Amino acid sequence: MALLEKIRVKFGIVISVIIALALLSFIIDPGTLESALNSMSSKYDVGKIAGKRISYNEFQSEVDKYTTINELMTGSSAQTEQMQQQIRDAAWQELVDKYMFIDNAMAAGIHVGEAELVDLVSGESLSPVMAQNPVFFDESGNFSLDMLNAFIANVNQDQTGQLRLYWNYLQNSINTQQYYQKYSALFNAGNYENALQLADDLDFNNTTADVDYCYVSYPIGTDSTIVVGDSEIKDYYNSHKKFFKQTANREIEYVVFEVVPSEADVLATSDEMDAAYEEFQTTDNMRAFLLRNSEESLSEYWYKNGDLNTLNGELNEYIFNRKEDVTPVIKSGNTFLAARVMDSKMLPDSVFVKHILLQGDDAAHVADSLVGVISRGGNFSNLAAAYSADQSSAADGELGSIGWMTQTYMIPGFESVIEARVGRPFVLETQYGTHVVLVTERTEPVLKKQVAILEKTALASRDTFNEYYAQANTFATLAGGSYEGYLRAVDSTKVYSHPVTITEATSNYGAIDNAKEVTRWAFDAKEGKASEIITVNNNYFFIATVTKINKEGYAPVEDAASLIEQRLYALKIQDKVLSDVKSKISGISSIEDAAKVLGVEVDRSEAVSLGSTTVDPALLGAVSAAPEGTLFGPVPGTMGVYVLNVSNRETGSFYTETDARNLAAQKSQYMSQLILSVMSEYDDVVDNRARFF
């Protein structure tokens, strides 16, 4: 257990470190997997990877493993929702690597051998997983083979199995990272731009042209002479079917009744605030008073002028600008606030802190001795190297330096360093052990105040809650479980109905978070059904109805017809304008005459680079192809049809070989980021986690 605590200290002495999810060269984005969902996956599976069904139990086993690793590294079992999501992402990533990526890498001829792994773990080609892991650092903060061997010996003796789990995690991470690095190197090598391609890039991007052009815009509005037939729509759909691939989704409508406090509730809270305010001004036991009467407990935070603005600007005005010791009651929305100054001091914003961490039965005695040695001029860094259990803190390059601390960037138990005198060592006790602490620098002190905040927010009473529930119940009763009833209820109650398309990952509805219950209902319900009351966060009552079920796969042609019709109409308009322009400029040789017959103006652009990203690509392509001094066109573009005349071309040297190579590298990097997305689609990766979490 001592080694487990050491791991936690080394990872958590300044900041808790969660699992390094971005360890690999490129990480799969779960969002990109939605396009690869496969409807054949079992409803009760978390997903499918390269034909391997991932059961809920298998996935949860991986989640449990990463949860244990996270607890081991942080020393805490507390998890935020964000941390839980990171753990689930790490668990899914490991399964993707195990069942898809490594198999594909091996199929490409890549292999990581045992001798190679030994070298990465403890040899000359040390993996960053080991080289940057403080668990294996020596007194100088460098990787130590002796520390590694000691760790492995503890692994074999650890009865909890946690060290074995962590050791296996490290080895697996190293192995997987090596596969990623090799595959990435192979991919990038295949993306090599040869000398001929490089020369062509230089020539193209160094060419500029002066061009006179005019264009006829596509008409706005509907041309009744252009008709798109059903057979054309079907032909387009069949030849472009891949564009209409969709994930499973639901088109729903919902109404929501938000429980908000009534005027009577607000007035009652105001009366409670007034009753508490008198005692607030005079109490000698503020901590106990606030625990009984306020939503804010007593804080040890020292505020400077401006800090209270984040809570309420009027409070800051009274406390710092008007210099009042007690503010009046201030109403902000449905919240009532008052503040009282408890103490004032001149304090710095930050201090530079050094420490020596001592552990063991004689820690207090050793600490007292070290304070004496440091007070007499002893070298702090040398003493930290000899005595400190924390061999990783070296903020200024000297062992023992934690760095700059503020009230918001603070090791628990170190709060007193803000008021400590510079250059005078002292002893602190924290959850990590006994510390010899020395503050070496601090910022200029400013006036700060400790402020007690009395806060009460009006909440809906039981009567108010019941009133809103009754409104929702009336709506649900009128809806009667059907879409037709839902529409009648909307018309009858005049409540706004929100139309929205959702996927299984949808958890937020507008500004309402954590509403996954609505999504789960929608995906379990049949088309045309309306829900009973769905309660979200105890203060929102939803009634939803499913208007359409869109299954995984390809959208049916009737659903895509409107979009296809718009596309075909645009193409026909383009053809019509193109034909009209071509007819009108037939036999004309100058841009001026062309503009005249077309009824438009001539525009001129000088030194247009063929590598420009701000010019319509159609015009740019025409400029690159058009012979000099000759009317060229018509050419269909984004907004209209172009006619142009290139009057001059020049070749410069502003685009260098370095620019070309940098662009090629950027393209290669961008393409490498798509590797897992492409693999996932090819291997039919299904990610159904949103169904369960």
Side-chain angles (χ1 to χ4, degrees):
M1 292 304 294
L3 185 55
L4 294 179
E5 183 61 28
K6 183 177 180 181
I7 292 175
R8 291 165 186 156
V9 168
K10 292 204 172 209
F11 276 106
I13 194 67
V14 174
I15 184 170
S16 293
V17 179
I18 63 170
I19 298 169
L21 299 178
L23 180 66
L24 308 178
S25 300
F26 41 90
I27 293 295
I28 194 165
D29 176 5
T32 63
L33 295 180
E34 289 189 10
S35 63
L37 290 176
N38 185 323
S39 61
M40 294 302 292
S41 178
S42 168
K43 180 179 180 180
Y44 303 103
D45 287 341
V46 172
K48 186 174 72 172
I49 302 172
K52 171 70 168 66
R53 291 173 59 177
I54 309 300
S55 69
Y56 179 86
N57 288 339
E58 180 178 7
F59 179 70
Q60 190 59 49
S61 176
E62 291 296 323
V63 170
D64 292 343
K65 179 180 75 175
Y66 275 92
T67 299
T68 301
I69 292 169
N70 182 66
E71 292 175 358
L72 173 62
M73 295 172 69
T74 63
S76 172
S77 59
Q79 295 174 5
T80 64
E81 175 57 37
Q82 181 183 17
M83 188 177 294
Q84 290 175 0
Q85 183 60 51
Q86 289 175 328
I87 289 172
R88 290 195 291 267
D89 287 346
W92 179 256
Q93 179 63 43
E94 177 159 325
L95 291 169
V96 168
D97 292 337
K98 178 180 178 181
Y99 294 125
M100 184 190 75
F101 177 75
I102 291 180
D103 282 352
N104 287 339
M106 294 177 69
I110 295 171
H111 182 67
V112 178
E114 291 186 13
E116 184 177 0
L117 278 176
V118 171
D119 194 38
L120 288 165
V121 170
S122 58
E124 295 182 0
S125 302
L126 202 61
S127 166
V129 177
M130 302 298 291
Q132 299 171 13
N133 193 327
V135 173
F136 308 120
F137 286 177
D138 60 16
E139 300 83 10
S140 303
N142 298 316
F143 175 82
S144 167
L145 191 58
D146 290 338
M147 297 295 289
L148 172 60
N149 290 332
F151 176 87
I152 293 173
N154 278 279
V155 166
N156 295 326
Q157 297 173 12
D158 175 36
Q159 298 298 314
T160 69
Q162 290 184 322
L163 290 182
R164 172 64 63 187
L165 181 67
Y166 181 64
W167 178 232
N168 290 341
Y169 159 73
L170 292 179
Q171 293 180 92
N172 182 65
S173 296
I174 293 168
N175 181 64
T176 303
Q177 183 185 49
Q178 191 69 354
Y179 272 106
Y180 271 94
Q181 289 179 342
K182 287 186 173 185
Y183 195 97
S184 182
L186 178 64
F187 180 84
N188 290 333
N191 249 352
Y192 175 74
E193 190 169 62
N194 61 40
L196 291 176
Q197 291 172 308
L198 185 63
D200 187 57
D201 284 345
L202 289 172
D203 180 61
F204 184 81
N205 285 283
N206 276 315
T207 300
T208 60
D210 299 331
V211 58
D212 297 300
Y213 66 95
C214 60
Y215 74 98
V216 178
S217 299
Y218 301 128
I220 299 174
T222 303
D223 187 335
S224 60
T225 66
I226 295 179
V227 178
V228 177
D230 291 343
S231 61
E232 293 175 290
I233 291 174
K234 289 180 180 179
D235 289 343
Y236 186 92
Y237 175 84
N238 290 330
S239 59
H240 298 82
K241 197 170 182 180
K242 65 179 181 179
F243 295 133
F244 304 105
K245 195 172 184 180
Q246 65 182 10
T247 61
N249 63 79
R250 300 292 185 269
E251 296 176 30
I252 72 168
E253 292 185 36
Y254 69 90
V255 298
V256 59
F257 298 85
E258 180 184 3
V259 179
V260 295
S262 66
E263 290 185 10
D265 296 332
V266 175
L267 182 60
T269 304
S270 177
D271 292 341
E272 291 175 10
M273 186 71 173
D274 291 340
Y277 180 68
E278 183 175 350
E279 184 180 353
F280 175 68
Q281 298 177 77
T282 59
T283 181
D284 293 328
N285 191 345
M286 183 61 76
R287 188 176 301 279
F289 170 81
L290 292 180
L291 286 174
R292 294 194 314 270
N293 296 283
S294 178
E295 295 163 18
E296 286 285 332
S297 59
L298 186 62
S299 170
E300 301 296 328
Y301 190 85
W302 290 91
Y303 295 89
K304 66 179 179 181
N305 194 2
D307 286 352
L308 283 170
N309 286 332
T310 58
L311 183 61
N312 184 278
E314 289 186 70
L315 291 183
N316 193 84
E317 174 69 19
Y318 278 108
I319 296 297
F320 286 97
N321 298 331
R322 299 189 187 183
K323 297 180 172 58
E324 300 281 353
D325 287 336
V326 183
T327 73
V329 175
I330 297 167
K331 184 176 184 295
S332 177
N334 291 330
T335 299
F336 298 87
L337 298 159
R340 175 181 161 189
V341 176
M342 305 303 294
D343 199 0
S344 299
K345 287 183 181 180
M346 297 295 292
L347 293 172
D349 285 335
S350 57
V351 293
F352 194 94
V353 181
K354 297 184 176 184
H355 86 135
I356 297 171
L357 174 61
L358 303 170
Q359 297 172 330
D361 295 337
D362 61 342
H365 175 72
V366 175
D368 289 337
S369 299
L370 291 177
V371 167
V373 173
I374 296 166
S375 298
R376 293 190 295 272
N379 186 288
F380 197 97
S381 181
N382 290 343
L383 292 171
Y387 292 96
S388 184
D390 174 21
Q391 295 292 311
S392 59
S393 295
D396 58 357
E398 293 188 2
L399 200 62
S401 295
I402 296 176
W404 289 97
M405 284 190 172
T406 67
Q407 290 184 90
T408 54
Y409 183 75
M410 179 69 61
I411 296 174
F414 268 59
E415 290 79 9
S416 61
V417 298
I418 293 293
E419 300 185 55
R421 291 181 58 179
V422 173
R424 178 172 292 184
F426 61 99
V427 177
L428 277 179
E429 296 288 342
T430 74
Q431 60 180 310
Y432 301 108
T434 302
H435 307 255
V436 177
V437 180
L438 180 66
V439 174
T440 59
E441 296 179 70
R442 68 176 185 174
T443 56
E444 189 68 26
V446 296
L447 177 63
K448 295 192 176 185
K449 300 182 180 184
Q450 279 189 335
V451 181
I453 306 294
L454 174 61
E455 179 178 343
K456 287 182 178 292
T457 300
L459 301 175
S461 64
R462 180 179 295 276
D463 288 342
T464 301
F465 184 92
N466 290 338
E467 180 182 335
Y468 280 100
Y469 186 87
Q471 293 178 31
N473 189 57
T474 297
F475 187 98
T477 301
L478 289 171
S482 71
Y483 177 53
E484 293 78 10
Y486 176 92
L487 292 178
R488 289 194 298 269
V490 168
D491 184 61
S492 174
T493 60
K494 308 303 179 187
V495 179
Y496 178 70
S497 179
H498 303 261
V500 64
T501 299
I502 63 171
T503 69
E504 284 190 294
T506 302
S507 60
N508 299 337
Y509 288 78
I512 304 173
D513 300 330
N514 304 316
K516 198 66 178 286
E517 219 31 63
V518 179
T519 302
R520 291 194 179 100
W521 174 86
F523 272 82
D524 285 337
K526 294 180 179 180
E527 188 173 306
K529 292 295 184 181
S531 73
E532 297 293 332
I533 296 173
I534 304 171
T535 303
V536 173
N537 300 331
N538 292 321
N539 62 332
Y540 295 100
F541 301 128
F542 280 76
I543 296 94
T545 181
V546 178
T547 59
K548 190 172 184 184
I549 293 175
N550 295 311
K551 296 182 178 180
E552 177 66 28
Y554 296 97
V557 64
E558 53 269 21
D559 289 351
S562 176
L563 184 63
I564 295 173
E565 184 177 13
Q566 293 175 26
R567 173 61 178 157
L568 293 177
Y569 176 86
L571 291 174
K572 288 189 174 187
I573 281 287
Q574 185 183 86
D575 289 342
K576 183 176 181 179
V577 174
L578 185 66
S579 177
D580 183 53
V581 171
K582 186 175 183 179
S583 174
K584 287 181 178 180
I585 66 171
S586 177
I588 293 176
S589 59
S590 73
I591 189 68
E592 291 78 15
D593 290 342
K596 187 174 181 179
V597 300
L598 294 173
V600 295
E601 299 293 327
V602 175
D603 291 319
R604 180 174 178 80
S605 293
E606 296 183 347
V608 176
S609 169
L610 297 188
S612 173
T613 57
T614 60
V615 178
D616 187 333
L619 177 59
L620 205 60
V623 170
S624 68
E628 288 186 40
T630 302
L631 191 68
F632 188 83
V635 176
T638 304
M639 303 299 294
V641 173
Y642 294 95
V643 179
L644 62 143
N645 179 47
V646 175
S647 57
N648 179 53
R649 278 196 184 87
E650 292 184 1
T651 302
S653 57
F654 50 87
Y655 189 82
T656 67
E657 184 174 326
T658 299
D659 293 329
R661 293 195 183 280
N662 287 341
L663 180 60
Q666 290 173 5
K667 290 179 181 178
S668 180
Q669 182 180 12
Y670 173 74
M671 291 176 67
S672 69
Q673 292 173 351
L674 299 176
I675 289 174
L676 281 180
S677 297
V678 174
M679 277 189 186
S680 297
E681 185 169 0
Y682 181 81
D683 283 332
D684 292 325
V685 171
V686 179
D687 183 1
N688 289 333
R689 286 181 292 157
R691 185 178 296 166
F692 301 91
F693 303 98

